[in-house]
Amino acid sequence: MQILYLIILIINYDACFGKQMNMSTGKIALVTGYTGESGKALVKELVQSDLYKKIILIGRRKVDFTEDGFKEKTEQREIDFDKIDDHVEAFRGADVHFCCLGTTRGKAGAEGFRRVDYDYIVGAARLAKQEGCQHFHLVSSQGANENSYLLYPQVKGQTEAALTKMAFPRLSIYRPAMLMVDRTEHRLFESIARSIIKHTVQRIAPEWITTPVEILGRAMSFNSFTTDRPSVEILDNHAIFRLAEQQPGATTDRTKASNEL
């Protein structure tokens, strides 16, 4: 009985001590655009991971979280993106920055789309760089091209180019395909298209033109811990899926996993 009791004590100690070590050595993440669908999925991944000890959330408004994990690990900071230079302090104290900001032309108009998907993102990246961000993650889009004649891919490409010129120690740009999610906001034609694809193409070739937001969030969360990567990397949909398959807590050599992407 004494031996059994001793074993139980050792297991409990190891579990508690291990968690404390993770919390003390984990990264501090900062997320902009955390109320959108991709942002929500990412934050969920970060909160559930012991590799992140704190998540700073920057947005226009605060969210009333009810789950204990979210309350314990997150800190919400409200800012006015139109006056972003008045909120330099909001971008302090993070090791890695995840940017999930984005809207659509249909929702915000051409001018509003450019303001969010270029001005806001570039402004947030500039302050993040100024405050010592070591790794900036950007959710862009498949087909991003600054020389495109179409507004959406053109603005996405211009944003990527602007961030690349900032020379972050490490910049990861994600180009997912159509994001698969049950949105809280109603977008009629997008909902119809997503429903058709979900029951046809996604079943046959899930990596072809779709990206579940959970897959994207998992890939972004894990990528902060990959090594031997270029200072600027663009991850297409297939690379996003490969990253999401990795397990941050696994004993597999992360360098080997990264090089296989």
Side-chain angles (χ1 to χ4, degrees), residues 135-155:
H135 189 180
F136 195 96
H137 300 254
L138 171 68
V139 177
S140 185
S141 176
Q142 192 175 66
N145 181 356
E146 62 179 324
N147 297 314
S148 174
Y149 291 105
L150 301 177
L151 179 66
Y152 187 85
Q154 179 190 83
V155 172

Side-chain angles (χ1 to χ4, degrees), residues 222 226 229 243 246 252-261:
F222 173 71
T226 57
R229 303 295 293 168
L243 266 175
Q246 306 301 316
T252 303
D253 186 284
R254 289 189 186 132
T255 302
K256 179 179 178 182
S258 301
N259 291 335
E260 289 177 348
L261 294 178

Side-chain angles (χ1 to χ4, degrees), residues 111-129:
E111 183 179 342
F113 168 69
R114 184 177 293 277
R115 182 167 62 250
V116 173
D117 280 65
Y118 183 85
D119 295 341
Y120 288 2
I121 292 175
V122 172
R126 176 169 48 81
L127 294 186
K129 178 71 180 343

Side-chain angles (χ1 to χ4, degrees), residues 4-260:
L4 179 60
Y5 179 68
L6 180 60
I7 292 174
I8 293 174
L9 283 178
I10 293 173
I11 292 174
N12 288 336
Y13 174 80
D14 182 67
C16 294
F17 183 71
K19 184 175 181 180
Q20 291 174 353
M21 287 294 291
N22 281 332
M23 290 299 289
S24 63
T25 60
K27 291 181 181 293
I28 297 178
L30 187 151
V31 182
T32 49
Y34 68 98
T35 58
E37 302 302 336
S38 58
K40 290 177 184 176
L42 171 63
V43 172
K44 184 177 180 179
E45 286 289 334
L46 299 178
V47 169
Q48 292 176 344
S49 173
D50 287 337
L51 298 175
Y52 293 91
K53 63 181 179 181
K54 180 179 179 181
I55 300 99
I56 300 168
L57 306 175
I58 292 183
R60 292 178 179 275
R61 57 183 175 81
K62 291 185 177 181
V63 174
D64 186 18
F65 292 123
T66 57
E67 298 180 39
D68 291 339
F70 283 79
K71 292 180 180 179
E72 295 170 359
K73 291 184 69 173
T74 63
E75 174 191 339
Q76 298 187 63
R77 300 175 180 177
E78 290 183 84
I79 72 167
D80 181 349
F81 283 99
D82 290 316
K83 300 178 181 178
I84 198 166
D85 287 320
D86 294 340
H87 303 280
V88 177
E89 70 285 349
F91 292 83
R92 291 175 184 161
D95 305 305
V96 56
H97 187 134
F98 297 93
C99 185
C100 301
L101 286 169
T103 186
T104 64
R105 181 175 182 171
K107 182 179 179 180
E111 183 179 342
F113 168 69
R114 184 177 293 277
R115 182 167 62 250
V116 173
D117 280 65
Y118 183 85
D119 295 341
Y120 288 2
I121 292 175
V122 172
R126 176 169 48 81
L127 294 186
K129 178 71 180 343
Q130 178 181 315
E131 294 304 315
C133 173
Q134 295 299 301
H135 189 180
F136 195 96
H137 300 254
L138 171 68
V139 177
S140 185
S141 176
Q142 192 175 66
N145 181 356
E146 62 179 324
N147 297 314
S148 174
Y149 291 105
L150 301 177
L151 179 66
Y152 187 85
Q154 179 190 83
V155 172
K156 293 292 187 180
Q158 290 172 346
T159 301
E160 291 183 3
L163 266 61
T164 299
K165 292 177 182 178
M166 292 184 188
F168 282 94
R170 186 176 175 192
L171 172 64
S172 297
I173 297 172
Y174 303 83
R175 290 181 176 176
M178 176 181 286
L179 295 175
M180 301 301 289
V181 61
D182 294 324
R183 293 187 183 276
T184 53
E185 61 178 324
H186 185 63
R187 298 179 182 177
L188 179 60
F189 294 108
E190 184 177 316
S191 297
I192 294 173
R194 184 175 291 106
S195 179
I196 294 173
I197 291 172
K198 181 178 180 180
H199 294 92
T200 54
V201 178
Q202 191 177 21
R203 293 186 177 184
I204 302 171
E207 296 182 27
W208 185 28
I209 58 174
T210 63
T211 312
V213 288
E214 296 81 8
I215 293 292
L216 177 60
R218 195 175 308 141
M220 294 174 71
S221 173
F222 173 71
N223 199 25
S224 292
F225 300 93
T226 57
T227 57
D228 293 337
R229 303 295 293 168
S231 58
V232 178
E233 60 178 346
I234 296 178
L235 297 104
D236 63 14
N237 207 37
H238 297 296
I240 291 171
F241 270 81
R242 297 291 78 74
L243 266 175
E245 292 171 355
Q246 306 301 316
Q247 297 297 321
T251 57
T252 303
D253 186 284
R254 289 189 186 132
T255 302
K256 179 179 178 182
S258 301
N259 291 335
E260 289 177 348

